[in-house]
Amino acid sequence: MSKNRGQAPFDLLRGFPSYQNVEWLMKTRAPDRGRDLSAERVIRDDGGTTRTERVIVQAKHWMSKSVAPSDITNTLAALQLWEPPVVRTLVIATSGRFTTDAVAIVEKHNTDGKLPLIELWADSRLETQLSQRPDLVASYHLRS
């Protein structure tokens, strides 16, 4: 029996060497089919300093529509519900795409130096990440 496809983002994140303490924030059967995860990202610099930052990942399994500006702002508004500890990075990952306006809002947010830093992971980035994890692709039947 194959695993629940909703677990794929969790397992993908757990496989990244710089991520630790990956946890679910909510049920995996959320109305938008989103999979909200919390993790610590370990950051090491060349000077020997190591620190961890809290990262929230909101995964949107949307094949028929793109992530819009309201999806970004609604997620930012919900972040306070998941603190403390403070969220330094918000990753919005989608199996689809982002609208031009959503990208523009994120670019302005990040350029203005607002926290959390927002990273957009579109389908192409996820494909690249999954290409390094054929075990997950096979386990979750992610490609035909």
Side-chain angles (χ1 to χ4, degrees):
M1 185 165 146
S2 69
K3 295 179 185 178
N4 177 347
R5 288 181 83 160
Q7 177 110 7
F10 179 82
D11 287 341
L12 181 64
L13 204 62
R14 280 186 11 178
F16 294 158
S18 62
Y19 284 76
Q20 62 187 23
N21 299 323
V22 180
E23 300 176 331
W24 295 104
L25 286 174
M26 62 189 313
K27 295 180 182 178
T28 60
R29 297 284 183 211
D32 70 353
R33 298 185 66 198
R35 311 303 190 244
D36 298 326
L37 303 169
S38 173
E40 293 172 348
R41 183 184 290 169
V42 179
I43 301 167
R44 293 179 176 88
D45 69 25
D46 293 336
T49 301
T50 301
R51 71 177 194 280
T52 59
E53 292 184 346
R54 184 153 184 241
V55 177
I56 298 294
V57 178
Q58 183 171 74
K60 302 239 180 242
H61 182 65
W62 290 353
M63 302 300 289
S64 60
K65 69 176 190 169
S66 296
V67 177
S70 60
D71 301 311
I72 305 290
T73 56
N74 290 343
T75 301
L76 282 171
L79 282 184
Q80 64 185 346
L81 301 174
W82 300 323
E83 292 180 337
V86 67
V87 176
R88 296 284 179 201
T89 303
L90 168 64
V91 174
I92 300 177
T94 181
S95 50
R97 306 276 172 117
F98 297 92
T99 67
T100 303
D101 289 342
V103 172
I105 284 175
V106 168
E107 287 175 349
K108 179 165 179 15
H109 174 92
N110 289 343
T111 299
D112 289 348
K114 295 180 181 175
L115 288 179
L117 176 72
I118 303 172
E119 297 178 12
L120 300 179
W121 294 3
D123 58 346
S124 58
R125 182 168 180 167
L126 294 173
E127 284 288 325
T128 299
Q129 292 167 339
L130 285 169
S131 71
Q132 314 218 351
R133 294 292 310 272
D135 58 315
L136 292 182
V137 172
S139 181
Y140 295 109
H141 307 287
L142 298 175
R143 293 188 192 139
S144 51

